[in-house]
Structure formats: structure tokens, C-alpha cells
Amino acid sequence: MPSFCLRVSALLATIVAAAVLAEAGAGSPTVSTCAAPAGGWTASDGAQVRPARESRLVALVDRYRRQNGLHAVKRGNPGHGTVLVAPSRCSPTSTMRAWRASPRVRRVLLSRGLVVRFVRPAASPVERPPLVPPPPVGPPPTVVGVPYTCTGPVDNVRVVGTGTADTALVNLAAGCTGTISLDVTVTAPGGGDGVKVQDGAHDLIVGPSSVTCEPGLSSKEHQDGVQVQGGSNVTFKGLVVSCPSSPGAAAFYIDGKDFPGIANVTCDGCDLTHMVMGALFTAPAPGSGVRNSHIHQGTTTNAYYEIVGSGAINENNTLVPRA
């Protein structure tokens, strides 16, 4: 049987709670009523809320919450007070404001250590639809075959194909300007470069692109991935050159010593593989070079790149030893 002190404490708690709830209920604004969920209410610890039968204190709090549209009650742990669990759309703010506005309620809460907390249960996880990639912006590229020569403005042109040509499979010639991308393969034994940039090409963005050289070319041939013989303000973005068995100069070759007038021709974010070396620069070609790229080691020279003269851009590049 409970001790006399324990019974007195329980009775005192009941009287205090009754006083608090009676005064708070009398002056509190009405809290909007919310329908109980199909599965019933749960307490702050996730347990299902049972009818309030544990003690008179819980019964009084339960009566108060029914009168004021609050839902679900659970007796708190010792020292933590009584817990009212409200659904997310049933705000207890107005009730708490009314309780705190009453000097008598505030005095009782402080002097007796009675705490009533409102706890919002965690919201159920919301199923989100699977992510769908956004549709491509703008019209699809205009696809052309090889060999191809660009002599005028282009807008989102894509050159695709396999073949060979005496000089280059793709020529970016005088007047070529705009945006273009490449996916070409140079066959053997015909040879020829993958791409030539010629004098008069200007303000041109090339990429992303790939240039592949098939094996089998004679050692007497000369084959570069890209040879720059002219042009201004031409940027190759995301170019991948794979010519691991091609005799010649480099995967990306800026030939300023033989072709004057080259300016601001760069390879940015490229991956350059060639039998001789990844990149070769000969001055003068101001503002030209390679940046933010992977430059692979050549097999015949053990060189990654070579710079002849001054003024080459060689920024933030990664040197990749051959396997």
C-alpha cells in the first residue's frame, strides 16, 4: 500500500493540477478541434496513447484537452511534468499564452514544479516522386557527317562520323564561328589529322568533343589529334583525343612558328593522349595553350608536353604517366 507521504503528494498534485486547469480553461481562447488520425494518437515517445486512467491528475488534464480541442495526453516522466501531444495542425500556442498570462497559474507552475508540455509528433515521411531529368533546353544539334569543313557561322552543329582525309577529317576554316561539337574517328591507313583550325576561324566554341585515331598508320605519316594553324578566340571545351599509336606531333598541337596570327586558342578541360606527347606549343601564339586538362605521357618521347618559345598557357593541368 502506498505510504502516507506518497498519497499526500499525489493528492496535492491533483489539487494543484485542478486549480491550474480550471483557471486556464476559464480564460483560454478556444483551440481549433482536429480530427484524430485513423491509427489513433501516439505519445511523444511513439507509444500508442491509452485512455487516461492512471491517476486523477491525468484525468483532469484529459478533460481539459477535450474541452479545448487538444488531442492525446500522456503522463510525463517524474520531474518532466505532463505531456500533451498535439498534431501538427493543432497549435497549442494560444492555450499556453493564456496560461502564462495568468499570475495565479504562473505562480502555481513555478512553486509546485508542475510542467505541461505540448509536443508535436513527427510528421509522416512524404513519398516523393522519382527525379526525372529535365528535358533538354533548346533544339537538338544539327548533325553532319565527315569529312566536314566549316566556313561560316554555325549554331549547335555536331559532326559525327568515321573516315579519313588527306589533311584533316574536320577543317575549321576561315569564317567558321559559333558553336560546334565533334565525335569523329580517323581510320587507317589513310591518315590525316583529326581536326585542323585554320586562319580566319574566330569566336568559336568547340565541345564537348572526341577525336579517335585508329591504329595501323605508317610511321612515315604525320597525324595529330588537333593541329592549330590559325584562328582567334577558339576554345575547345571537354575535348578527348585518343591517338596512342599515331606518329606526328601531339594530341593538341599549336603551331605558332609556322602559322602566324594564332591568338587565344585554348583547350580547357581536355584529355589528351598521343604516341609522341599530349600537347605541343610553339610561339608566337599569345593567349593560347592548355588548362584544367589531363595530359598523358607519350610512348616514344616519354614527354607529356613541350613548349617552344614563350607565352603558352599551361595552367592547372594533370600529368598522367602511361600505364
Side-chain angles (χ1 to χ4, degrees):
M1 177 177 293
S3 67
F4 175 76
C5 291
L6 182 60
R7 285 180 301 191
V8 169
S9 298
L11 180 60
L12 181 59
T14 301
I15 295 172
V16 170
V20 171
L21 297 176
E23 179 167 336
S28 301
T30 302
V31 180
S32 60
T33 302
C34 300
W41 296 109
T42 56
S44 57
D45 61 358
Q48 194 72 22
V49 175
R50 297 178 180 179
R53 298 173 180 172
E54 296 183 12
S55 69
R56 181 63 177 161
L57 174 60
V58 175
L60 289 171
V61 175
D62 195 39
R63 181 187 305 167
Y64 177 81
R65 64 95 179 171
R66 286 199 305 269
Q67 292 172 349
N68 290 273
L70 296 174
H71 290 265
V73 60
K74 178 178 181 291
R75 185 166 183 145
N77 295 327
H80 294 282
T82 299
V83 179
L84 288 177
V85 181
S88 59
R89 61 186 181 279
C90 298
S91 173
T93 304
S94 57
T95 301
M96 293 299 291
R97 187 182 300 118
W99 286 13
R100 292 181 182 130
S102 167
R104 180 182 174 190
V105 171
R106 193 163 56 250
R107 184 172 62 253
V108 171
L109 290 176
L110 292 174
S111 63
R112 303 297 181 183
L114 180 64
V115 180
V116 179
R117 294 188 295 115
F118 293 83
V119 182
R120 295 182 186 278
S124 301
V126 178
E127 275 196 35
R128 299 183 180 276
L131 292 176
V132 178
V137 178
T142 301
V143 179
V144 297
V146 291
Y148 175 77
T149 299
C150 173
T151 58
V154 287
D155 182 11
N156 197 20
V157 169
R158 184 157 183 81
V159 184
V160 179
T162 299
T164 188
D166 291 339
T167 56
L169 200 56
V170 177
N171 286 280
L172 307 178
C176 185
T177 184
T179 57
I180 192 170
S181 61
L182 318 168
D183 184 5
V184 298
T185 299
V186 186
T187 57
D193 295 341
V195 181
K196 283 192 187 298
V197 184
Q198 299 175 340
D199 186 33
H202 66 96
D203 302 294
L204 181 66
I205 302 294
V206 185
S209 299
S210 68
V211 175
T212 303
C213 304
E214 287 188 348
L217 194 64
S218 166
S219 60
K220 298 179 181 180
E221 300 292 336
H222 183 105
Q223 185 175 63
D224 302 320
V226 175
Q227 183 179 19
V228 180
Q229 298 179 336
S232 61
N233 303 322
V234 178
T235 302
F236 286 82
K237 285 184 173 291
L239 169 69
V240 177
V241 175
S242 179
C243 298
S245 59
S246 297
F252 191 79
Y253 176 23
I254 297 176
D255 190 4
K257 67 178 177 58
D258 296 317
F259 298 93
I262 300 171
N264 302 320
V265 178
T266 57
C267 204
D268 193 341
C270 302
D271 192 282
L272 306 174
T273 302
H274 193 273
M275 186 175 75
V276 180
M277 64 184 68
L280 174 61
F281 173 96
T282 64
S288 302
V290 180
R291 56 164 60 97
N292 307 317
S293 298
H294 285 78
I295 302 176
H296 294 256
Q297 185 179 28
T299 56
T300 58
T301 64
N302 292 325
Y304 297 92
Y305 61 88
E306 183 177 354
I307 297 174
V308 180
S310 60
I313 291 176
N314 179 21
E315 300 173 352
N316 196 35
N317 293 314
T318 301
L319 304 182
V320 183
R322 66 173 181 270

